[in-house]
Amino acid sequence: MPIQDKYERVIDYLRISITDRCNLRCIYCMPSEGVKLIQHKDILRYEEIIRIVRVAADLGVRKVRLTGGEPLTRKDLPHLVAAISAIEGIEDISLTTNGLLLKKLARPLAAAGLKRVNVSLDSLRPERYREITRGGDIGEVLSGIEEAEKAGILPIKLNMVPIRGFNDDEIEDFARLTLKKDYDVRFIEFMPIGAQEIWSHEKYISTEEIRRRVDAIAPLIPLKLRKSGPARYFRFENAPGVIGFISPITHHFCGSCNRLRITSDGKLRPCLFSETEIDLKPALRSDTPDSEVERLLRLAVEVKPEGHSINYEKSFTHLKRMSKIGG
Ligand code: SAM
Ligand code: SF4
């Protein structure tokens, strides 16, 4: 029986941050000097992550997404992917990455069972990409994406966060990509969390505005038969790719939220925008049976809030950064 929370949402999705380290310093995510990192000894070991997923799968979890920090920087990642794929009940394993190391890792990851990948890409212009990421080489990312396509990790989802004055003049370029490529291009609203350095109301762009601009290129056709998830999907007529809008600020998707998050140091977070955390590490690092891990997972489901109150007028920069929670 799948596990349900008190608002009758079926919880079948785990997003696991496997590291808080990153090989980039995107301006809206991290300060240039980086952030204070979790000590190595406190980061969950692969066997601990595998144990959590095994117990969660018994509770009805079917999908796992690995994220970070930058998940591809963690050693022997294909080993973890293979172990999670082999867990009975897990039907889907995916990854969110900046794509810098995909060229080398796409094939071993596909062989290990990776089904899908989301690549975060906030500019298509090499100079600007370098600026936004503070040093990233877009050439590496593009060849990583190509390699993932060749390895059959499909569909490729590109996540772009439009920020006014930084990259919003590329919204149309990203949308037009779907006329040539069968990518899912998804626009995500800039969230006022963790981005103390650059967040301001003026830089935030609503989905409504992004959508209006995309629709001005050619009429967007809504896609009804898309799987559940936070994105609402559209396409241009005859386009191979699709366009998605993710609106954490203007259209909360809390009513259909099916996920729990786990930070790289083993804290269960029932909601991205709530600081409630349940520490799994004491149970994992002592001689406790799986039933205790199960109890903590059930507790996280039980305390999962009905929704969040984040909006673009209120700053949530006190919340942990996405690189810490696992975006
Ligand atoms: N390093 C990987 C990457 O960049 O895809 C995975 C971790 S990153 C924290 C996950 C996602 O969080 C990225 O798509 C990034 O754009 C997004 N993100 C980080 N800070 C954000 C913010 N303040 N608003 C919206 N998205 C944010
Ligand atoms: Fe690193 Fe991803 Fe944050 Fe960029 S968005 S700094 S790649 S964790």
Side-chain angles (χ1 to χ4, degrees):
M1 257 307 269
I3 186 165
Q4 277 196 6
D5 70 3
K6 53 183 182 235
Y7 307 103
E8 294 180 5
R9 296 173 295 197
V10 172
I11 308 300
D12 62 358
Y13 182 19
L14 266 192
R15 281 176 88 102
I16 308 175
S17 170
I18 59 169
T19 178
D20 62 336
R21 285 158 172 74
C22 187
N23 46 1
L24 291 178
R25 296 279 178 273
C26 301
I27 46 167
Y28 59 87
C29 180
M30 277 203 198
S32 54
E33 68 280 13
V35 290
K36 190 167 179 286
L37 294 174
I38 297 167
Q39 285 195 347
H40 190 69
K41 67 173 177 50
D42 290 327
I43 298 283
L44 290 188
R45 300 190 283 264
Y46 280 173
E47 60 272 24
E48 292 169 333
I49 296 174
I50 294 161
R51 183 175 172 203
I52 298 168
V53 177
R54 194 169 34 74
V55 177
D58 284 346
L59 289 178
V61 164
R62 297 290 166 257
K63 289 179 281 182
V64 172
R65 174 171 296 274
L66 303 178
T67 178
E70 176 46 43
L72 299 191
T73 60
R74 185 130 178 208
K75 247 169 87 184
D76 293 333
L77 183 59
H79 167 78
L80 177 67
V81 169
I84 292 177
S85 305
I87 293 172
E88 208 183 312
I90 297 300
E91 294 163 2
D92 185 62
I93 171 156
S94 57
L95 190 78
T96 300
T97 173
N98 61 33
L100 269 187
L101 300 173
L102 252 188
K103 188 161 67 175
K104 196 173 104 208
L105 282 164
R107 281 177 195 271
L109 286 170
L114 185 76
K115 299 268 197 297
R116 294 179 297 112
V117 71
N118 288 8
V119 180
S120 305
L121 189 62
D122 298 308
S123 174
L124 297 166
R125 304 178 191 172
E127 249 334 287
R128 181 179 284 168
Y129 181 79
R130 196 180 297 284
E131 254 171 61
I132 293 180
T133 59
R134 297 200 182 93
D137 176 355
I138 197 175
E140 291 297 308
V141 181
L142 298 178
S143 37
I145 292 172
E146 244 174 62
E147 206 53 36
E149 286 182 83
K150 284 189 203 147
I153 306 176
L154 297 167
I156 301 282
K157 291 188 182 174
L158 298 185
N159 288 349
M160 187 226 190
V161 179
I163 302 178
R164 203 182 307 283
F166 280 79
N167 61 352
D168 62 309
D169 53 344
E170 292 188 60
I171 288 173
E172 288 82 357
D173 296 346
F174 271 90
R176 282 195 191 96
L177 255 188
T178 65
L179 292 165
K180 289 185 287 192
K181 297 288 228 170
D182 59 352
Y183 296 158
D184 286 13
V185 169
R186 296 152 20 120
F187 296 101
I188 305 177
E189 284 178 337
F190 181 30
M191 296 183 280
I193 65 167
Q196 291 96 331
E197 302 79 29
I198 72 150
W199 166 261
S200 72
H201 298 168
E202 295 72 38
K203 295 200 182 80
Y204 161 81
I205 310 181
S206 68
T207 285
E208 199 194 333
E209 178 180 338
I210 302 167
R211 194 173 142 183
R212 213 178 321 113
R213 285 174 53 176
V214 174
D215 201 52
I217 301 172
L220 281 170
I221 304 164
L223 294 182
K224 292 206 179 70
L225 298 170
R226 266 283 167 138
K227 289 184 294 276
S228 66
R232 286 171 304 145
Y233 284 102
F234 300 80
R235 72 158 80 236
F236 292 134
E237 197 166 274
N238 298 324
V242 306
I243 296 172
F245 299 97
I246 303 182
S247 327
I249 312 283
T250 49
H251 291 98
H252 298 181
F253 30 81
C254 306
S256 58
C257 183
N258 59 349
R259 62 193 64 180
L260 293 180
R261 291 168 192 267
I262 299 178
T263 63
S264 54
D265 56 346
K267 310 265 173 36
L268 261 169
R269 279 181 82 104
C271 171
L272 173 63
F273 300 112
S274 151
E275 289 297 79
T276 303
E277 290 186 337
I278 297 169
D279 197 355
L280 286 169
K281 235 176 351 48
L284 295 168
R285 296 201 175 165
S286 57
D287 204 10
T288 29
D290 284 352
S291 56
E292 176 59 7
V293 179
E294 179 183 330
R295 187 185 71 78
L296 295 171
L297 283 163
R298 285 187 184 278
L299 180 63
V301 172
E302 203 180 301
V303 300
K304 191 173 164 65
E306 186 174 11
H308 69 74
S309 59
I310 188 171
N311 61 53
Y312 65 88
E313 281 168 351
K314 209 155 137 196
S315 172
F316 281 72
T317 49
H318 66 283
L319 287 173
K320 271 189 187 166
R321 289 166 189 278
M322 293 291 275
S323 67
K324 282 255 181 279
I325 303 169

